[in-house]
Amino acid sequence: MPVVVDSAPLIEAAVLERVLATSLAGGGDMAEVFAEDRQTSSAMLDDKKVEELSSGRERGAGIRVVIGETTGYAHTADLSEAGLLAAAEAASAVARQGGGTRIVALGARQAASPRAEILPSEVAKSAKLELLARADDAARSAGGAITQVSVGYGDSRRRVLIATSEGVLAEDDQVRTRFNVSCVATGDAGMQTGYESLARTEGFEVFGKSGVEEIARAAAGRALTKLSARPAPSGEVPVVLAGGSGGILFHEACGHGLEADHIVKDSSVYVGQVGELVASPLVTLVDDGTVAGEWGNYAIDDEGRPAARNVLIENGVLTDYMWDYLRARKEGRLSSGNGRRQSYQHLPMVRMTNTFLLAGDEDPDEVIAQTPHGVYVAKLGGGQVNTATGDFVFGTSEAYLIEDGRITEPLRDANLIGNGPEVLRRIDVVATDFAMMPGTCGKDGQSVPVGCGQATLRITGITIGGTAA
């Protein structure tokens, strides 16, 4: 049964108008109120013991005042009119001082209330703990070599309201649910780990669509496979990325370089390349905050702009960058709906949402069959990227040799070393099996939920940094 949405706004419209007027009383180009009400809960089962069972609520607002090139920002946990007016006066004073961006913290408080098809906050804690226990049992049943299992659950509801002196008045209500399993397998090769997660912008109903046992078995299987894995070879070889597994590579190695703040600072390899061929004609790269259910989905960004589908690279040609309010304002254009912030205590910046390569028309099995020799990456791990050059290093969580067009031995300790723009140019086949994966993107000290994805594809050559002699 659909849940009734809270009708009361976080801040009344008349109060917003007075706060915005106060923000601009000393002069200014734009004033903004960003209010947030967030509720969270989490649980952790480690080796069959409940190590964490917690919930929290926080509420507050940030006031931004822009004067020319200077931004003043103050945040407060006091949503009374007096508290908001004090923050407005502080932000205005900071903006008038000039000298860049400074943040004034005015205090802390708490409150709350939540929404979704099944609100997680209305689900009994015992039901959430039962999910953890079921996943633990499933992981351990995968094999006697599984010696350690950790299972985590989390949910959040985030209500936001944005009002600006330019007439924007917008609200959003975001419910997110996540579940993850980590396993350790012990054998002759020592201890090996496996991880799998589910994360959706949905309520507790997500567990009626996806079984936690399946997630647990995937994590356990990954750890068990590594016990028999051989050290990865070194050198440049063709690499096939499984559907969904490699989206993080394009998010990190290409997506960040297409964020407008890097462009205007001349710190991206993609500066000045709009209209140029920057990738294989098989590559169309999209950032889309409107994809329902995905981890980076929302109705409006954190500046009140509607989420949008933005084509960044089309058939290999760079078509646009991602924009927030400030960067777009300088260029005389609209934001692309990519202004995001971690919380009301943070200024917004240009961020990705759900970033992915569109699917192609090849059969994924044929992609492997047509690769005489190489490495098949079933799941990528973490990595590091230099946005100014596009150079990156990524680990792999699950990888295999490809020999004579077949997936053969599992590999461990394999790193992918390359350059984002060069990898885009070396994609020579894209399959139909598109899939998305959730992630958390960190930038300048702020973390936000994002999605990344692609179909199975082949890169004609990428350097593998392995440990094999």
Side-chain angles (χ1 to χ4, degrees), residues 132-183:
L132 302 183
R134 282 167 45 196
D136 184 276
D137 289 343
R140 294 179 188 280
S141 68
I146 297 294
T147 54
Q148 185 176 340
V149 178
S150 296
V151 189
Y153 166 91
D155 62 61
S156 69
R157 183 192 184 193
R158 181 182 188 242
R159 295 179 62 208
V160 296
L161 177 151
I162 300 100
T164 78
S165 58
E166 297 182 344
V168 171
L169 179 59
E171 295 180 85
D172 198 7
D173 199 330
Q174 303 157 3
V175 177
R176 290 186 167 92
T177 308
R178 63 172 176 80
F179 193 87
N180 56 272
V181 181
S182 298
C183 297

Side-chain angles (χ1 to χ4, degrees), residues 175-434:
V175 177
R176 290 186 167 92
T177 308
R178 63 172 176 80
F179 193 87
N180 56 272
V181 181
S182 298
C183 297
V184 175
T186 304
D188 293 341
M191 292 192 300
Q192 301 295 330
T193 60
Y195 178 85
E196 186 61 32
S197 67
L198 167 74
R200 300 282 294 173
T201 303
E202 297 181 38
F204 204 77
E205 68 272 11
V206 70
F207 297 109
K209 308 170 188 175
S210 304
V212 296
E213 290 85 358
E214 182 181 348
I215 298 168
R217 284 191 286 268
R222 206 159 275 140
L224 292 169
T225 296
K226 288 183 182 177
L227 289 179
S228 60
R230 54 173 274 188
S234 298
E236 185 175 294
V237 297
V239 168
V240 175
L241 296 178
S245 71
I248 184 65
L249 188 156
F250 302 105
H251 167 101
E252 294 287 357
C254 310
H256 279 300
L258 295 172
E259 293 169 335
D261 51 353
H262 292 300
I263 297 299
V264 299
K265 290 186 294 187
D266 201 25
S267 60
S268 168
V269 70
Y270 292 107
V271 171
Q273 293 196 44
V274 170
E276 296 185 14
L277 190 70
V278 297
S280 160
L282 297 175
V283 171
T284 294
L285 180 68
V286 174
D287 184 85
D288 190 350
T290 71
V291 186
E294 294 300 342
W295 201 226
N297 170 240
Y298 49 72
I300 57 170
D301 72 0
D302 294 328
E303 299 178 302
R305 180 76 180 162
R309 177 184 174 87
N310 298 299
V311 178
L312 308 173
I313 298 173
E314 186 169 18
N315 300 326
V317 176
L318 180 60
T319 55
D320 204 354
Y321 306 118
M322 289 167 279
W323 302 86
D324 65 347
Y325 170 82
L326 283 181
R327 257 57 60 164
R329 173 173 169 260
K330 289 181 182 178
E331 299 296 321
R333 57 171 292 163
L334 291 175
S335 162
S336 59
N338 289 94
R340 305 186 67 186
R341 62 183 104 199
Q342 180 173 311
S343 76
Y344 73 88
Q345 300 178 31
H346 300 85
L347 276 164
M349 66 177 84
V350 189
R351 306 298 296 271
M352 282 173 275
T353 60
N354 301 300
T355 311
F356 48 88
L357 270 66
L358 296 190
D361 53 16
E362 288 286 335
D363 181 280
D365 292 334
E366 281 300 305
V367 176
I368 297 165
Q370 294 167 10
T371 306
H373 171 71
V375 170
Y376 177 75
V377 177
K379 192 172 183 64
L380 270 178
Q384 295 180 327
V385 180
N386 182 330
T387 58
T389 64
D391 294 335
F392 64 79
V393 178
F394 276 92
T396 60
S397 297
E398 184 179 0
Y400 301 83
L401 269 182
I402 299 175
E403 297 176 294
D404 298 322
R406 294 183 302 109
I407 296 173
T408 58
E409 295 183 86
L411 302 173
R412 65 172 183 268
D413 304 326
N415 292 312
L416 305 187
I417 304 168
N419 177 272
E422 186 59 33
V423 162
L424 289 180
R425 294 186 185 97
R426 293 187 178 192
I427 294 173
D428 73 337
V429 61
V430 181
T432 57
D433 58 336
F434 179 83

